Amino acid sequence: MTSPVSYKIVDEIGVITVDNPPVNALSQAVRQGLQDAIRTAQSDASKAVLIHCVGRTFFAGADITEFGKPAVEPFLPELLNEIEDSTKLVVAALHGTALGGGFETALASHYRIALDSAKVGLPEVKLGLLPGAGGTQRLPRLAGIPASLEMILTGTPITAGRASELGLVDRIVSSDLRKAAIEYTRELVDSGALVRRTSELTAATVDDSVFDEIRSGLAKRARGQTVSSRIVDCVKAASELAFTDGLKLERELFVESMRDPQSTALQHMFFAEREAAKVLGVSRETAHRDIQKVGIIGGGTMGGGIAMSFANAGYAVTLIEINDDALDRGLAIVEKNYAGSVKRGKLSEAAANKCRDLIIGSTEYAALADVDIVIEAVFEDVELKKDIFARLDKVCKPGAILATNTSYQDVNAIAAVTARPEDVIGMHFFSPAHIMKLLEVVRADKTADDVLGTVMSLAKRIRKVAVVSGVCYGFIGNRMLAGYFREAQLCLIEGGLPESIDAAMYDWGMAMGPISVADLAGLDVGYKARQGLSEEERGDPRSYRIPDALVAEGRLGQKSGAGFYTYDPMTRKKTSDPAVLEVIEREARDLGVERGAIEADEIIDRLIYALVNEGLRILDEGIAQRPGDIDVVYVYGYGFPAWRGGPMHYADAVGLDTVLARINEFRGRFGADNWTPAPLLEKLVAENTTIVDWAKRSVG
Ligand code: 3H9
């Protein structure tokens, strides 16, 4: 096998070139090649060494696919020490994204030159890890403690410009990096520049209060995450211990993090997110339709947010509303959102203006004649949606993609009203659509492969994480959510309080408790939906009587200032309301429910196992392509803690036999209507296997 690393002396510079697509991960072969080259350079005719990568980026980090397997020499930390110990000066030339072990390689080099478009960072925290190849010790020696803590705790890459301000990059160039880097190295040699070892620097000490403050903030900024305090320990050590002792601590805590189930979960999420982009049965080579112009029908919160997502990515958007008033209202919401982004420093005034200018409004469907894709985002009324699609069929040009943003409705039925069902697809955005990362892409029976492929790549362009779902009521996310909300309401009527249920789930790691989510979404939404249903269709009255009673009292949730909680009109801060407890107790009495204490553990198991059980049905039916897709939906769309890896990964981690035993216990206590184990769960337990192994066998 040819090595991904080559070495050649150019103009007296020993140039190490790495070519390991797609992202130049520091695989064993790369590490070996680097070690061989750096050793050769010590005794050959070269005067200095340059490390650079071809392709889209400098090393994007250690090779994550090697994690969990036995480590093979040379190990990265030792290799980087060897690079730093080089007697000839070593220059790293950075482009693309120099991340993790990649950026650590740069920090171990003696000088750094970067393309102005490059970004550098230590994103290990996103994998539940800390930089484990000297990053926690070298970065503080160059950039100081506060900036290092910020970079390592957030994992957010910084620009080459910022890196230069922090002393992490010595020279920035705007083109032809390889040539510029050879010239720079030559210049260093000619000027007699010395080998400059980061490990020999001293990190400026800071007052202990800096660390105390960071630690006390971790509970909020890194809630539930174990690796953050280890990161603080390492960075603190950089200013207190000798370099080698600091490295020893870093190694110890890196290994501890690697063994932590949180890291396993986050690594699973990393690959699940990338897997989700691949559509089974649709080759990556399938030609995509060209998308330049986008039409959106409905200028409400959802339509406006979707318009912003596209405009932010540079697409021209035509927003259609029913009349001038509605259109003005829609455009005003967009305007307000952009003003908010400017105020919060997320966008410059100029960038916001540029995006805003890309969105034009119209009340005429004829304005959609030349759009390449149109997304319908009106309220959830299937007949209205069918009407709209029949009109779109008439006005849109041949080959235009017709998408619906429905959260529940049958996309096949909507497609059937057109003469081109192959062009119809679901694009289920999550609110607020310009912020939430998830996009459920609903593949209807007749959706053409190139339509699906186009929408998946379009999703990436508008910075969404897309997951394919088959057609069913509620698709992947909302279908699973029904059981989760049902159990939250049942726990409430059986003895819980809004606060205790929210606290149980929030403390477990959910972004928001389910009762607060209901208030945010609006209690009237479910109420209205139930009005059209028969008693039988509404299901167990214990699961909706309390919210319906609150709606009857005008408590519609956050929007009316009161729901399960009462909200301050200015700050939206919520407080408990004794009147709600009275409603709960009254409804429980009416329904003959005897209220009693419910432990947090039970609340968690009932809500999460309801998700897991339905998720397994969804998998079994082929609605989700793979378990990781369900995990991506929950982490990116429903505030499930990424460090627990999503409901499917979590179930495997707990053990499917434990999950099944608990569900069977619930069936015994609460009845089979809500608690019949998914057949796939029983099958996997009987076969003594895991969801992930089953998926490997059945999906490949
Ligand atoms: C580390 O460095 C630990 C050290 O401190 C200590 C060690 C002792 N390894 O994201 P994309 C694959 S921890 C293996 O779609 P983009 C990815 O799976 C690491 N594979 O592209 C995908 O494969 P496929 C710290 C990797 O342009 C393909 O590359 N580094 C790795 O949207 C394309 O990826 C990180 O955490 C990897 N390190 O974004 C950086 N990275 O095509 C992680 C990517 O088969 N990577 N792949 O699905 C990223 O953030 C993004 O991939 C990057 C490119 C920004 C680089």
Side-chain angles (χ1 to χ4, degrees):
M1 206 177 76
T2 55
S3 169
V5 183
S6 57
Y7 176 74
K8 194 171 151 200
I9 299 180
V10 181
D11 193 17
E12 294 187 305
I13 310 297
V15 180
I16 302 177
T17 305
V18 183
D19 184 7
N20 184 32
V23 296
N24 286 313
L26 285 149
S27 64
Q28 192 277 334
V30 171
R31 298 194 304 274
Q32 188 63 64
L34 278 174
Q35 187 178 57
D36 292 346
I38 206 83
R39 285 185 179 175
T40 305
Q42 300 310 301
S43 52
D44 67 10
S46 66
K47 296 225 163 107
V49 182
L50 171 68
I51 303 175
H52 91 109
C53 297
V54 297
R56 64 207 236 200
T57 182
F58 190 70
F59 311 111
D63 187 337
I64 306 171
T65 60
E66 289 181 358
F67 290 177
K69 298 177 189 159
V72 185
E73 286 183 288
F75 305 130
L76 192 59
E78 282 83 18
L79 171 63
L80 298 195
N81 289 345
E82 203 171 329
I83 290 176
E84 193 182 53
D85 288 344
S86 164
T87 49
K88 294 181 181 169
L89 64 83
V90 181
V91 177
L94 318 180
H95 75 291
T97 43
L99 301 177
F103 186 43
E104 290 174 297
T105 307
L107 296 175
S109 303
H110 306 136
Y111 295 84
R112 289 156 288 277
I113 175 170
L115 212 50
D116 54 3
S117 55
K119 288 195 169 174
V120 303
L122 294 172
E124 286 86 345
V125 65
K126 295 181 183 168
L127 297 168
L129 296 173
L130 46 91
T136 66
Q137 302 307 298
R138 290 194 178 94
L139 185 67
R141 284 174 162 78
L142 285 166
I145 300 283
S148 301
L149 281 170
E150 183 63 21
M151 273 183 82
I152 305 178
L153 283 171
T154 61
T156 309
I158 58 172
T159 60
R162 175 73 185 135
S164 155
E165 282 165 18
L166 289 172
L168 298 169
V169 164
D170 304 292
R171 177 162 300 179
I172 295 184
V173 292
S174 55
S175 63
D176 205 344
L177 179 66
R178 185 175 186 274
K179 185 164 167 275
I182 292 174
E183 282 167 8
Y184 175 56
T185 313
R186 184 76 246 174
E187 197 182 306
L188 288 168
V189 171
D190 291 347
S191 66
L194 300 174
V195 159
R196 203 178 57 169
R197 296 192 178 96
T198 310
S199 61
E200 289 169 2
L201 303 173
T202 309
T205 48
V206 291
D207 199 83
D208 266 359
S209 62
V210 171
F211 296 105
D212 296 344
E213 210 172 293
I214 285 279
R215 276 189 212 284
S216 62
L218 288 181
K220 193 160 175 228
R221 75 189 265 182
R223 185 163 54 95
Q225 291 196 45
T226 43
V227 75
S228 310
S229 68
R230 295 186 198 125
I231 290 174
V232 180
D233 289 347
C234 286
V235 174
K236 188 162 190 271
S239 65
E240 291 174 350
L241 303 182
F243 181 74
T244 45
D245 294 334
L247 273 193
K248 241 186 249 157
L249 179 74
E250 179 192 88
R251 176 98 310 243
E252 199 181 294
L253 296 186
F254 179 80
V255 171
E256 197 176 303
S257 306
M258 195 57 115
R259 291 194 184 126
D260 190 323
Q262 290 199 358
S263 180
T264 316
L266 288 162
Q267 288 173 39
H268 156 75
M269 285 311 301
F270 177 84
F271 288 113
E273 181 186 331
R274 281 152 185 87
E275 264 313 280
K278 296 166 195 156
V279 186
L280 294 174
V282 177
S283 130
R284 273 186 166 186
E285 273 70 54
T286 304
H288 290 174
R289 298 188 187 182
D290 184 33
I291 306 290
Q292 303 287 340
K293 291 186 179 168
V294 181
I296 290 167
I297 301 177
T301 315
M302 208 60 194
I306 299 172
M308 289 175 71
S309 297
F310 280 99
N312 295 351
Y315 289 92
V317 178
T318 303
L319 189 65
I320 303 286
E321 253 301 354
I322 196 156
N323 56 40
D324 287 336
D325 279 354
L327 189 57
D328 289 348
R329 268 199 307 276
L331 292 173
I333 295 174
V334 169
E335 183 78 38
K336 193 173 142 222
N337 285 342
Y338 277 124
S341 301
V342 172
K343 204 169 151 204
R344 287 194 306 277
K346 300 264 177 215
L347 269 184
S348 69
E349 186 78 47
N353 285 339
K354 205 168 151 202
C355 295
R356 222 171 355 218
D357 289 350
L358 284 169
I359 304 175
I360 56 160
S362 175
T363 54
E364 302 292 333
Y365 271 53
L368 299 176
D370 66 344
V371 299
D372 304 301
I373 183 168
V374 54
I375 300 159
E376 162 277 308
V378 302
F379 56 87
E380 288 292 336
D381 174 339
V382 74
E383 293 312 317
L384 175 63
K385 287 179 190 282
K386 284 183 184 169
D387 263 10
I388 290 171
F389 273 73
R391 288 176 76 179
L392 291 177
D393 196 17
K394 292 201 182 81
V395 298
C396 290
K397 67 182 183 188
I401 296 176
L402 311 182
T404 170
N405 174 51
T406 181
S407 325
Y408 288 97
Q409 307 297 340
D410 181 351
V411 183
N412 286 324
I414 295 172
V417 304
T418 72
R420 39 173 139 172
E422 66 282 1
D423 293 340
V424 177
I425 193 164
M427 286 176 79
H428 179 210
F429 288 82
F430 288 70
S431 189
H434 58 299
I435 291 172
M436 293 291 285
K437 294 278 284 176
L438 181 66
L439 176 68
E440 269 183 324
V441 175
V442 186
R443 180 186 206 168
D445 291 351
K446 294 192 175 152
T447 306
D449 284 358
D450 67 333
V451 168
L452 191 55
T454 304
V455 169
M456 293 303 281
S457 70
L458 188 60
K460 189 159 185 183
R461 300 231 291 273
I462 61 169
R463 298 200 192 86
K464 300 290 174 201
V465 178
V467 173
V468 176
S469 170
V471 176
C472 66
Y473 188 74
F475 315 123
I476 297 173
N478 283 343
R479 177 170 154 185
M480 287 168 66
L481 197 65
Y484 177 86
F485 275 155
R486 176 198 71 219
E487 288 306 312
Q489 287 302 320
L490 291 175
C491 287
L492 193 60
I493 204 156
E494 286 168 22
L497 295 172
E499 301 76 19
S500 62
I501 292 164
D502 275 350
M505 299 318 295
Y506 181 82
D507 292 346
W508 186 80
M510 296 298 289
M512 212 189 224
I515 308 293
S516 292
V517 171
D519 264 0
L520 184 66
L523 305 186
D524 54 327
V525 179
Y527 175 84
K528 277 189 202 135
R530 278 187 287 277
Q531 298 319 297
L533 303 177
S534 65
E535 284 232 336
E536 200 189 337
E537 284 168 330
R538 285 183 207 178
D540 185 346
R542 293 172 309 151
S543 67
Y544 61 79
R545 276 282 286 270
I546 300 169
D548 281 6
L550 293 173
V551 170
E553 294 186 8
R555 304 183 72 113
L556 310 184
Q558 266 201 33
K559 61 182 152 193
S560 70
F564 284 102
Y565 299 95
T566 301
Y567 296 88
D568 182 294
M570 299 304 286
T571 62
R572 289 207 214 155
K573 192 174 177 306
K574 68 179 179 209
T575 43
S576 309
D577 190 338
V580 173
L581 181 58
E582 281 173 29
V583 172
I584 297 171
E585 287 175 340
R586 186 189 69 214
E587 294 304 318
R589 257 194 322 275
D590 277 7
L591 288 163
V593 178
E594 201 167 314
R595 283 171 54 77
I598 303 187
E599 298 293 324
D601 280 357
E602 174 165 327
I603 296 171
I604 295 162
D605 285 356
R606 285 173 66 174
L607 271 67
I608 299 299
Y609 292 166
L611 284 182
V612 169
N613 208 30
E614 197 59 29
L616 283 160
R617 288 203 175 92
I618 282 173
L619 258 187
D620 213 5
E621 290 167 24
I623 296 291
Q625 301 189 102
R626 24 180 124 72
D629 286 13
I630 296 179
D631 292 334
V632 171
V633 165
Y634 262 75
V635 167
Y636 284 104
Y638 295 85
F640 197 100
W643 49 268
R644 290 198 189 270
M648 298 292 103
H649 177 88
Y650 176 71
D652 268 347
V654 169
L656 295 185
D657 49 350
T658 306
V659 175
L660 178 61
R662 190 76 157 143
I663 289 180
N664 278 331
E665 180 207 320
F666 292 152
R667 175 164 60 180
R669 285 169 57 199
F670 308 118
D673 281 356
N674 293 341
W675 288 109
T676 296
L680 183 58
L681 176 60
E682 293 186 309
K683 177 176 134 84
L684 298 187
V685 172
E687 291 174 2
N688 192 22
T689 186
T690 57
I691 304 173
V692 75
D693 283 343
W694 168 82
K696 266 190 216 143
R697 282 203 315 270
S698 43
V699 181

